[in-house]
């Protein structure tokens, strides 16, 4: 009795559930699965339909391992693409659909290493309902690599230990080990899960996470298609990609240096050569010698019925590049939500749908749109086209992720892109593009930019009134201030160095603090940059991209919170060519001004709550926002979620290079929460104790 009593006192919730299940199994005979599973091996694999709307708990498991593209399993054989299908390398016979579905194709070029989740690339979509208790077992079967999983979009309120950031909220999951994440499914909307250590996301360690809302009157339909976009490189695994960003990319066959590309405004992209794009792990490679020809690899297909409206949930899991998303032949997309939160244009009686021809999505962002399937029944392309300016490439290149939208009854399985591009956009009826990282396109293109801050929230429970008055303003410059300007990535001149122990639980063990003697206005330092936030204060962050390190637009992601976007500030552009000319004059960089590690408003009359152009009436909510080259974004949020929260550029390579920091929010409150939710495999001692209980209980039974 003493043993049992003391054991129960020390049991975790997981182990108590096991004991309850055991008791139920032995004495009650009829048991439900509302408790938790005995082990990850016994849990169901994550897949759509695993969790029902009326379930209290949503539990499943993810197994992470390496696989090769363009290979079958059992027996392993190489396959090749042909006219939208696959064939074995040694025959011309087309593979049956069932066998094709087992192959990870990517863009059909070569055979390279990827990370699969439950055997899939990308990982299986997890569908849950708002306020579900999520229990996800993650088992790492990679032979040498550690990993973690971040639940991008989940705020982890009360469960900071399940945020999944290596060395911030947890230690990495070692090869052969299992880690269990426990959190509440909040908020609703389109989210995703992905690796948060190094650049493993670039190898496919990601998947969709869709949380359906409790409130039934959001924009309809809610059920729809998930579209996960990735930029793809044939040659390099994560560590090689990172080294090439530092050292440069070369054509090994031609022995020539590959110049980094730029966007239409002249802003830089880092050294990462994109060969093609993927949608849900599928794409096709366009020839370098002829950008109109592709290799005929299979594409993802979405089937629609004429006359019906469909919701597409678009997620960018990209390593680096932004994409412009449009639907061939359908020139009106209704933007319904971003990062899970509903948006429209205008408020009150001025509220109307946000109708655009296309939109731009950056790494880490999510956009939901609906469109009406009202064109001639046919097959159309859903296109996510890189916003690189490739006009000067010789030979020409075309970088896009594509999928097929097929009207029911149409048996075709291939479709080529429209060479007219945006020929439907005219001077009298220009096409509107939402969420540009710049202000203008060249006038000859007949394209117009709609800034993100011109949208408004359409959330019925929006709490925007909480942030009408800001308590404190902080400036954060995301830039590459080093020489010759490509590295290091930094925030306010601090290149982030990960601690060796999770800062959430072991802050006292931090060996890489930021020192005043090494960091400052005109210095670049390497350390674990962190800032303390006081509980329940309303913070106004001014996110900038200024100084000598500007030139890359950065999608910045805040963990643990959503925020309100109350203003975007851009530099000066040539309105006819769209080219960037000068940085914004609203902000004054301090010191010698080259690094812009410290800043203030150039106009001294601008205070926390006296800034021209603030949108405080139903401002849109978000958790990832683009900071434009030479410009800034003002966001506000209330510090009401104790924890250690990562704040970083969501371009994988920039984050790895140090463009991030940590907010230690309400330190007096989060210590008791730090181990809540997430659990490692229970140790040998606990297993022995539980076996002992079995030995005691079973004979009694």
């Amino acid at each position: 009795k003493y043993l049992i009593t003391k054991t129960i006192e020390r049991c975790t919730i997981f182990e108590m559930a096991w004991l309850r299940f055991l008791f139920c199994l032995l004495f009650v005979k009829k048991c439900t699965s509302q408790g938790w599973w005995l082990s990850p091996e016994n849990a169901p694999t994550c897949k759509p339909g695993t969790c029902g709307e009326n379930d209290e708990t949503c539990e499943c498991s993810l197994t992470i391992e390496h696989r090769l593209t363009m290979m079958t399993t059992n027996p392993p054989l190489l396959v090749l693409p042909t006219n939208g299908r696959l064939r074995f390398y040694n025959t011309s016979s087309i593979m049956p659909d069932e066998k094709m579905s087992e192959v990870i194709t990517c863009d059909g070029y070569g055979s390279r290493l990827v990370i699969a989740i439950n055997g899939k690339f990308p990982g299986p979509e997890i569908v849950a309902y708002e306020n579900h208790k999520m229990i996800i077992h993650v088992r790492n079967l990679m032979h040498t690599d550690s990993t973690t999983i971040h639940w991008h979009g989940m705020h982890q309120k009360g469960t900071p230990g399940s945020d999944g950031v290596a060395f911030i909220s947890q230690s990495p999951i070692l090869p052969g080990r299992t880690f269990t994440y426990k959190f509440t499914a909040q908020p609703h909307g389109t989210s995703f899960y992905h690796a948060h250590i190094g650049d493993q996301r670039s190898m496919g360690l990601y998947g969709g996470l869709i949380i359906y809302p409790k409130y039934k009157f959001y924009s309809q339909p809610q059920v729809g298609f998930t579209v996960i976009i990735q930029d793809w490189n044939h040659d390099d695994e994560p560590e090689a990609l990172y080294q090439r960003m530092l050292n440069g990319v070369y054509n090994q066959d031609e022995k020539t240096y590959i110049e980094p590309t730029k966007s239409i405004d002249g802003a830089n992209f880092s050294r990462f050569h994109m060969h093609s794009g993927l949608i849900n792990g599928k794409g096709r490679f366009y020839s370098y010698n002829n950008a109109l020809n592709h290799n005929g690899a299979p594409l993802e297909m979405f089937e629609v019925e004429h006359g019906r409206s469909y919701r597409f949930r678009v997620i960018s899991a990209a390593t680096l590049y932004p994409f412009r998303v449009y639907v061939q032949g359908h020139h009106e997309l209704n933007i319904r939500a971003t990062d899970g939160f509903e948006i429209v244009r205008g408020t009150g009686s001025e509220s109307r749908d946000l109708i655009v021809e296309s939109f731009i999505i950056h790494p880490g962002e999510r956009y939901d749109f609906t469109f009406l399937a009202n064109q001639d029944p046919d097959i159309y392309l859903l296109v996510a086209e890189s916003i690189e300016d490739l006009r000067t490439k010789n030979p020409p290149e075309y970088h896009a992720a594509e999928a097929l939208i097929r009207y029911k009854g149409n048996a075709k399985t291939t479709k080529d892109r429209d060479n007219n591009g945006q020929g439907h956009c005219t001077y009298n009826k220009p096409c509107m593009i939402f969420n540009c990282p710049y202000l203008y396109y060249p006038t000859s293109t007949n394209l117009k930019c709609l800034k993100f801050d011109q949208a408004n929230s359409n959330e019925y429970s929006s709490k925007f009134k909480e942030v009408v008055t800001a308590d404190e303003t902080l400036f954060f410059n995301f830039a590459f201030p080093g020489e010759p300007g490509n590295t290091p990535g930094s925030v306010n001149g601090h290149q982030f160095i990960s601690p060796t122990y999770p800062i959430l639980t072991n802050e006292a063990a931090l060996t890489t603090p930021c020192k005043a003697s090494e960091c400052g206005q005109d210095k670049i330092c390497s350390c674990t940059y962190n800032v303390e936030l006081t509980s329940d204060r309303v913070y106004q962050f001014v996110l900038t991209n200024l100084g000598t390190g500007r030139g890359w637009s950065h999608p910045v992601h805040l963990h643990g919170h959503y925020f309100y976007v109350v203003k975007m500030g851009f530099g000066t552009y040539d309105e006819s060519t769209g080219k960037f000319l000068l940085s914004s004059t609203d902000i004054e960089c301090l010191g010698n001004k080259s690094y812009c590690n410290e800043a203030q408003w150039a106009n001294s009359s601008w205070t926390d709550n006296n800034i021209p152009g603030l949108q405080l009436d139903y401002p849109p909510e978000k958790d990832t926002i683009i900071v434009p080259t030479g410009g800034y974004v003002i966001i506000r949020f209330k510090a009401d979620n104790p924890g250690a929260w990562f704040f970083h550029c969501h371009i994988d390579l920039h984050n790895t290079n140090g463009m991030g920091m940590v907010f230690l929010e309400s330190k007096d409150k989060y210590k008791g929460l730090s181990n809540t939710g997430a659990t490692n495999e229970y140790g040998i001692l606990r297993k022995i104790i539980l076996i002992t209980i079995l030995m005691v209980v079973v004979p009694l039974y």
Side-chain angles (χ1 to χ4, degrees):
K1 288 181 180 179
Y2 176 81
L3 174 63
I4 293 174
T5 301
K6 289 300 179 183
T7 300
I8 290 175
E9 287 177 358
R10 292 176 176 272
C11 276
T12 64
I13 296 174
F14 180 87
E15 292 158 355
M16 282 301 298
W18 190 5
L19 291 174
R20 285 197 302 269
F21 180 82
L22 176 63
F23 181 84
C24 172
L25 185 65
L26 292 174
F27 298 107
V28 182
K29 302 295 185 183
K30 294 181 180 180
C31 306
T32 69
S33 60
Q34 282 300 305
W36 291 306
W37 297 89
L38 305 187
S39 71
E41 289 75 12
N42 292 332
T45 57
C46 297
K47 58 186 177 181
T50 298
C51 306
E53 183 173 5
N54 296 321
D55 293 342
E56 180 182 348
T57 299
C58 177
E59 182 183 19
C60 59
S61 62
L62 300 174
T63 298
I64 299 170
E65 57 191 340
H66 285 114
R67 281 192 61 184
L68 291 172
T69 66
M70 299 301 285
M71 294 286 294
T72 61
T73 57
N74 194 28
L77 290 172
L78 180 70
V79 298
L80 301 173
T82 176
N83 196 31
R85 306 282 295 178
L86 297 176
R87 64 177 177 84
F88 291 108
Y89 77 101
N90 56 357
T91 178
S92 59
S93 300
I94 301 299
M95 294 173 60
D97 290 346
E98 181 180 353
K99 202 67 179 175
M100 276 183 54
S101 66
E102 299 175 0
V103 179
I104 296 174
T105 60
C106 292
D107 70 350
Y109 184 94
S111 180
R112 63 154 291 183
L113 189 71
V114 295
I115 299 176
I117 310 174
N118 293 354
K120 298 181 179 298
F121 175 123
E125 181 175 277
I126 300 174
V127 177
Y129 292 82
E130 194 170 12
N131 296 329
H132 258 161
K133 296 177 181 177
M134 306 297 293
I135 305 172
I136 312 294
H137 309 290
V138 177
R139 181 171 49 173
N140 180 9
L141 293 188
M142 295 186 288
H143 293 160
T144 58
D145 292 354
S146 298
T147 193
T148 64
I149 299 292
H150 170 55
W151 312 93
H152 189 114
M154 299 294 99
H155 297 159
Q156 302 294 348
K157 202 156 189 177
T159 54
S162 279
D163 197 41
V165 186
F167 302 113
I168 306 301
S169 59
Q170 71 172 96
S171 295
I173 308 170
L174 298 176
R177 299 297 300 272
T178 297
F179 191 88
T180 297
Y181 294 91
K182 301 176 185 176
F183 56 93
T184 302
Q186 289 179 344
H188 62 81
T190 303
S191 296
F192 70 122
Y193 61 90
H194 62 78
H196 218 303
I197 184 171
D199 300 303
Q200 289 178 344
R201 193 177 82 234
S202 70
M203 284 186 72
L205 211 171
Y206 60 83
L209 175 61
I210 310 303
I211 309 298
Y212 287 123
K214 292 180 65 177
Y215 182 69
K216 302 299 184 183
F217 297 98
Y218 282 115
S219 58
Q220 298 297 324
Q222 283 289 318
V223 176
F225 303 111
T226 300
V227 179
I228 311 182
I229 303 170
Q230 184 181 354
D231 40 12
W232 190 243
N233 176 281
H234 295 153
D235 305 323
D236 298 322
E237 296 165 17
E239 294 303 321
L241 287 174
Y242 179 67
Q243 291 299 320
R244 298 206 192 286
M245 186 195 77
L246 300 181
N247 298 290
V249 181
Y250 291 82
N251 184 318
Q252 301 293 332
D253 296 327
E254 302 291 334
K255 305 299 186 290
T256 55
Y257 177 71
I258 299 176
E259 291 284 350
T261 53
K262 298 178 182 293
S263 55
I264 198 74
D265 63 331
N268 301 314
F269 292 116
S270 291
R271 301 181 185 115
F272 171 77
H273 192 201
M274 176 182 173
H275 291 118
S276 57
L278 308 179
I279 288 179
N280 295 350
K282 299 176 183 177
R284 53 194 186 187
F285 175 56
Y286 281 85
S287 169
Y288 287 152
N289 298 320
N290 186 340
L292 299 179
N293 293 336
H294 57 77
N295 64 350
L299 297 179
E300 183 79 332
M301 181 175 291
F302 307 107
E303 192 170 66
V304 300
E305 289 185 23
H306 190 276
R308 291 187 59 185
S309 180
Y310 290 86
R311 190 182 197 97
F312 284 78
R313 298 175 180 269
V314 184
I315 301 166
S316 177
T319 297
L320 176 70
Y321 292 105
F323 290 88
R324 182 180 69 86
V325 179
Y326 65 92
V327 178
Q328 184 184 43
H330 300 71
H331 306 317
E332 288 193 354
L333 307 184
N334 190 345
I335 307 297
R336 297 294 194 174
T338 177
D339 297 357
F341 298 97
E342 299 271 319
I343 56 173
V344 290
R345 288 200 73 180
T347 61
S349 61
E350 300 296 319
S351 177
R352 60 195 185 281
D353 287 338
L354 204 166
I355 306 293
V356 295
E357 187 263 352
S358 55
F359 61 92
I360 293 174
I361 187 169
H362 304 268
E365 289 189 303
R366 293 89 70 207
Y367 278 95
D368 294 17
F369 73 86
T370 58
F371 87 104
L372 181 63
N374 60 355
Q375 300 301 305
D376 293 335
D378 199 346
I379 292 181
Y380 298 88
L381 284 177
L382 169 64
V383 182
E385 194 172 80
S386 165
I387 68 168
E388 299 167 279
D389 186 357
L390 299 174
R391 292 174 296 179
T392 60
K393 280 284 186 179
N394 188 20
E397 296 182 22
Y398 178 67
H399 300 164
E402 298 171 323
L404 301 171
I405 297 178
R406 181 175 70 180
Y407 280 69
K408 284 188 177 180
N410 191 304
K412 298 178 185 177
T413 58
T414 61
K415 185 74 173 181
D416 288 323
R417 67 187 176 102
D418 185 356
N419 296 331
N420 292 327
Q422 291 172 299
H424 56 278
C425 307
T426 65
Y427 178 81
N428 292 324
K429 192 175 181 181
C431 290
M432 192 67 70
I433 300 176
F434 183 53
N435 195 38
C436 298
Y438 32 71
L439 283 181
Y440 303 101
Y441 277 89
T443 53
S444 59
T445 62
N446 298 317
L447 305 176
K448 300 290 185 182
C449 283
L450 181 65
K451 298 188 302 174
F452 178 81
D453 63 349
Q454 291 176 268
N456 292 88
S457 171
N458 196 34
E459 286 286 320
Y460 86 99
S461 60
S462 177
K463 298 180 180 179
F464 71 93
K465 292 182 180 179
E466 287 186 346
V467 300
V468 168
T469 301
D471 295 318
E472 185 176 353
T473 298
L474 300 173
F475 288 78
F476 297 103
N477 192 39
F478 289 78
F480 289 103
E483 301 297 339
N486 291 291
T487 57
S490 71
V491 181
N492 288 350
H494 302 73
Q495 180 185 27
F496 187 79
I497 302 297
S498 290
T500 53
Y501 298 96
I503 196 171
L504 178 69
T505 54
N506 296 281
E507 185 187 349
L510 182 65
T511 59
T512 53
C514 297
K515 300 176 182 178
S517 60
E518 298 173 357
C519 307
Q521 289 181 347
D522 306 318
K523 299 177 182 178
I524 302 172
C525 58
S526 298
C527 57
T528 303
Y529 184 32
N530 60 82
V531 171
E532 292 188 23
L533 301 182
T534 303
S535 181
D536 294 324
R537 284 176 68 82
V538 173
Y539 285 92
Q540 178 169 267
F541 288 177
V542 183
L543 314 181
T544 63
N545 185 346
L546 300 171
T548 55
R550 64 132 181 93
W552 294 256
S553 295
H554 301 291
V556 176
H557 174 52
L558 175 61
H559 290 227
H561 289 275
Y562 65 90
F563 48 74
Y564 297 90
V565 180
V566 296
K567 184 177 181 179
M568 296 187 75
F570 289 79
T572 303
Y573 293 79
D574 184 317
E575 296 186 26
S576 61
T577 65
K579 295 298 182 184
F580 174 84
L581 298 176
L582 296 170
S583 293
S584 170
T585 58
D586 292 346
I587 294 172
E588 177 186 2
C589 296
L590 304 179
N592 69 14
K593 305 183 187 303
S594 61
Y595 289 164
C596 207
N597 292 343
E598 293 184 25
Q600 64 186 19
W601 294 116
N603 188 330
S604 60
S605 68
W606 290 22
T607 60
D608 291 342
N609 298 290
N610 183 34
I611 300 170
L614 289 181
Q615 169 57 278
L616 297 176
D617 187 21
Y618 283 95
E621 295 103 323
K622 230 174 176 323
D623 60 46
T624 308
I625 188 67
I626 189 69
V627 182
T629 298
Y632 64 92
V633 179
I634 304 176
I635 65 173
R636 288 185 178 185
F637 69 98
K638 186 176 182 179
D640 57 0
N641 190 12
W645 305 116
F646 204 33
F647 187 48
H648 63 101
C649 175
H650 213 271
I651 292 172
D652 248 9
L653 302 173
H654 296 184
N655 175 40
T656 304
N657 194 231
M659 195 174 289
M661 61 176 296
V662 176
F663 291 119
L664 302 177
E665 180 179 335
S666 309
K667 287 179 62 175
D668 58 322
K669 295 183 178 181
Y670 71 67
K671 292 302 181 183
L673 297 170
S674 58
N675 289 315
T676 302
T679 58
N680 278 302
E681 297 167 305
Y682 36 80
I684 295 175
L685 179 60
R686 283 178 175 168
K687 289 182 180 179
I688 292 173
I689 292 173
L690 289 170
I691 290 172
T692 303
I693 292 175
L694 285 174
M695 294 173 65
V696 172
V697 172
V698 172
L700 290 176
Y701 173 62

